[in-house]
Amino acid sequence: GQQVMQIPQYQHVQEGEDFTTYCNSSTTLSNIQWYKQRPGGHPVFLIQLVKSGEVKKQKRLTFQFGEAKKNSSLHITATQTTDVGTYFCAGPDRGSTLGRLYFGRGTQLTVWP
Amino acid sequence: SQTIHQWPATLVQPVGSPLSLECTVEGTSNPNLYWYRQAAGRGLQLLFYSVGIGQISSEVPQNLSASRPQDRQFILSSKKLLLSDSGFYLCAWSKHEQFFGPGTRLTVL
C-alpha cells in the first residue's frame, strides 16, 4: 500500500544550528504537505508543494519537493527554541478525491537553548 | 472563518466503560471529516473518515466506531474501552489541507 516515510524520528540540536527532515513516498505524489505540532498541541498546516522541483520559503524554513515528486525536505536555518515540535509530511491518497492523507511518522525536534 | 471544536479536552475512563467524543465544524459545509489517534510521541493513525452524513469508512479494525449524524458533526464511540485505547484523539476536516481540532487526551485506567 501507499506509504510515506520520514527520517529522522528524533533530532536534538543546539539553538542556532540547522535542522533538516526528509520525507519519502512509495508513490508519486500530486502534492506534499507539511504540518507542525507543538508539544501538547495539534498539527497545524504549514505549506503545500505541488510542482516538481518546487522550493518554497517561510522565513527560516525552506521546503523542497523532489523532481520525481516522491520526496521532500524541510530545512530550518538557525533553529530557535520556538521551532520545537514535531514536523510531519503528508501526501494525498493516490487516485482518491476524498482528501485522505498519508502522514509520515514525524520528526520530533528538540532545541537546546 | 472555519473553526473545529472537540470535547472534552481531557478524559479519564475505566477499562470497560463507554466512550463518546464529539467533533463539530463551523463555517463550512459538506466537509470531509477524519478521526486520528496519536499515541504518546508517535505519529498520526487514521481511524475513520467520512465524506458525508451517514458515510463512514474505517481504516483499522478495532473496538471503536464513528458516526456522522449531521453534516458538521462527527462522533467517535466505543461500547467498552480497552487500555490500548489511551491516546490523543484528533478530529480534522479538509478542503485541500487538513485542519485539526484541539484534540481529546484520553487515559484509560
Side-chain angles (χ1 to χ4, degrees):
Chain A
Q2 187 172 345
Q3 288 185 320
V4 174
M5 294 145 286
Q6 196 174 348
I7 57 169
Q9 190 172 353
Y10 303 98
Q11 187 78 55
H12 307 275
V13 300
Q14 193 147 20
E15 192 171 20
E17 293 181 339
D18 292 356
F19 158 77
T20 306
T21 174
Y22 301 90
C23 185
N24 285 284
S25 170
S26 59
T27 61
T28 302
L29 299 170
S30 59
N31 67 79
I32 193 151
Q33 300 175 18
W34 286 91
Y35 294 77
K36 177 183 179 180
Q37 183 178 22
R38 295 181 184 274
H42 58 276
V44 174
F45 173 77
L46 292 177
I47 206 162
Q48 175 177 280
L49 304 172
V50 178
K51 299 177 184 176
S52 169
E54 188 170 15
V55 178
K56 285 189 176 180
K57 291 192 175 185
Q58 290 180 349
K59 297 183 180 178
R60 294 176 295 103
L61 277 61
T62 302
F63 303 85
Q64 292 188 334
F65 200 11
E67 293 290 340
K69 301 183 76 173
K70 293 182 73 173
N71 62 287
S72 181
S73 65
L74 158 59
H75 180 82
I76 303 179
T77 304
T79 54
Q80 300 175 0
T81 54
T82 53
D83 296 324
V84 164
T86 301
Y87 293 85
F88 294 96
C89 61
D93 189 349
R94 186 172 180 164
S96 170
T97 59
L98 301 177
R100 189 208 191 285
L101 292 175
Y102 288 91
F103 281 86
R105 290 189 63 176
T107 297
Q108 189 173 319
L109 172 64
T110 304
V111 180
W112 300 329
Chain B
S1 63
Q2 301 89 2
T3 55
I4 178 168
H5 304 278
Q6 279 187 252
W7 64 90
T10 59
L11 192 59
V12 180
Q13 291 284 99
V15 170
S17 64
L19 174 74
S20 181
L21 301 181
E22 190 162 344
C23 170
T24 58
V25 181
E26 296 177 358
T28 186
S29 60
N30 197 31
N32 292 337
L33 296 173
Y34 310 84
W35 277 112
Y36 291 89
R37 177 170 58 203
Q38 186 176 37
R42 303 294 297 275
L44 299 165
Q45 179 188 28
L46 180 63
L47 302 175
F48 301 95
Y49 64 93
S50 171
V51 299
I53 295 174
Q55 299 179 64
I56 309 294
S57 295
S58 175
E59 282 294 298
V60 292
Q62 60 213 320
N63 69 319
L64 299 171
S65 61
S67 61
R68 186 169 177 175
Q70 300 180 46
D71 181 45
R72 289 170 286 180
Q73 184 185 29
F74 205 22
I75 298 171
L76 183 69
S77 304
S78 174
K79 292 182 179 178
K80 287 187 178 182
L81 283 168
L82 306 173
L83 285 174
S84 57
D85 291 325
S86 292
F88 189 39
Y89 288 82
L90 289 156
C91 179
W93 74 275
S94 74
K95 204 169 187 179
H96 299 290
E97 65 271 31
Q98 290 193 4
F99 299 92
F100 288 83
T104 295
R105 212 163 290 279
L106 172 66
T107 303
V108 183
L109 301 174

